[in-house]
Every structure is written in structure tokens, then in C-alpha cells.
Amino acid sequence: MITIQDKVSMLKTTVKISNVTNLSDARYCAGMGVELIGFSMDDLSFEKYKEMRGWLSGVQIVGETESESILEIMELKETFLPDYIQTSNWQNLSEIKRAELPIILKVDYAKADLPALLRSTAQEVDYFLIENSDEFAHLDEAAISQLDALAFQYPVILGFGLSEDNVNEVLERIPLKGMALKGGEELKPGQRDYAELMDILEALESED
């Protein structure tokens, strides 16, 4: 059984956990030194969010939404009171900025013209979260080369192709601002298999 550490771990880079749906993930990740914990404002009930939020301290909350409605995004922001807003709605970033919160723009490596998209939105975005809708995608040399060029110019958080075996090499080869992992489902209330998540986070623990 994995328990929250008494002393928060220090990680080699900023880590974001996306789509957290249960307290087990939230507390475990906070204990491991994860800085950004993301909750879907679209799918998660506010009551469940509030319960989880009450157990957390020392982390930044990312309110994640796929809504294209500026009014709805503003209402979600007022309800959930996140520290960041994550959106894939790049067309309306200037309006989303009215929420006066840092913005994480989620982009799809498989579909977007990344150089053009990042260049055109850089002034309105605090971080670019690069994910990949191609479930078979991996970090080959071509992908590493492109991500290296993008991360050199823009604040990139990488959200695909990461494993226990490659996270440290990726950090050495790409000047990332952070890495993103995904939350999972509990086996039953209070119990969760952390094997893959734990392996990656432990690989990222600072040796200092």
C-alpha cells in the first residue's frame, strides 16, 4: 500500500497531473511533489472537487475545460476558482484572458501545425501542453528534434511518450518547462494501482 510521504519529494522538473478524478491521486501526487494538479471543470461535480481540494495544500490547481463558450468558461472559473485555466480553445484566447488567470493551451501534436499555432498564440499563453491523439505515438528522433526546437522558443509541457525509462533522457535532450501525466481510476474507493505513475515520478525525483 502506498502512503503519502511525510516530506514532499523534490522533482527535477515541474509535473502536471491531468484529469484527476479521485482523492487518492490528488494526495499521492501532492505528496510526490507534483506542482500542478488538473481537474476537469466540465465533468467533475463541484461537490467532489471541493472535497478533494480541501485535502490539498502547496499545489497549483488547473481548471481544465474543453468548452468553446466564453460565458461558460467564466462561470466555471468563478465556481471552481482554479489557479490556472487549461483550454484547447486557441481561437478565443484573448477573451479567455479576461479571467485574469494564467493559461495552459492544450495542443495536439498529431493534428496541429505546431510552429504556426505556438507562434500565433505565444503572447497569450503561459504554457503549451503538447499531447498526442495518436495512441501509438512515441518519441522518436524526429519528434524529439521538433519538440527541442519548439521548447527552445516556447514554454512547453510535454504530455505524451513518457515512461520510466526515458523521462530523464527527454529532460536532457529537450528544454521543457515540465511534463504532464494523467490521473487514473481507483480500483475501489481509497485504493489505486500507482505502478506506472509511481515509476515515472520516482525516476524524476531529485538526487539532491
Side-chain angles (χ1 to χ4, degrees), residues 119-133:
R119 182 171 58 251
S120 65
T121 58
Q123 297 302 311
E124 296 170 304
V125 170
D126 294 87
Y127 293 109
F128 292 98
L129 170 59
I130 300 181
E131 296 189 348
N132 198 324
S133 59

Side-chain angles (χ1 to χ4, degrees), residues 111-208:
K111 297 179 180 178
D113 180 351
L114 291 185
L117 179 57
L118 271 59
R119 182 171 58 251
S120 65
T121 58
Q123 297 302 311
E124 296 170 304
V125 170
D126 294 87
Y127 293 109
F128 292 98
L129 170 59
I130 300 181
E131 296 189 348
N132 198 324
S133 59
D134 180 358
E135 60 181 307
F136 300 108
H138 62 282
L139 293 175
D140 56 20
E141 287 300 318
I144 289 174
S145 178
Q146 182 179 21
L147 290 166
D148 177 45
L150 292 172
F152 182 77
Q153 299 180 73
Y154 308 105
V156 168
I157 296 175
L158 182 60
F160 76 94
L162 301 172
S163 69
E164 171 194 7
D165 297 326
N166 72 1
V167 288
N168 285 294
E169 180 185 358
V170 169
L171 279 180
E172 291 174 1
R173 299 187 62 184
I174 305 174
L176 298 169
K177 292 299 183 184
M179 295 180 166
L181 308 172
K182 292 185 182 296
E185 297 297 326
E186 291 180 303
L187 302 175
K188 60 183 181 179
Q191 290 192 10
R192 165 89 151 83
D193 181 1
Y194 290 102
E196 182 178 9
L197 185 62
M198 179 179 66
D199 288 344
I200 295 177
L201 291 177
E202 287 188 348
L204 287 171
E205 282 189 287
S206 174
E207 298 175 358
D208 296 337

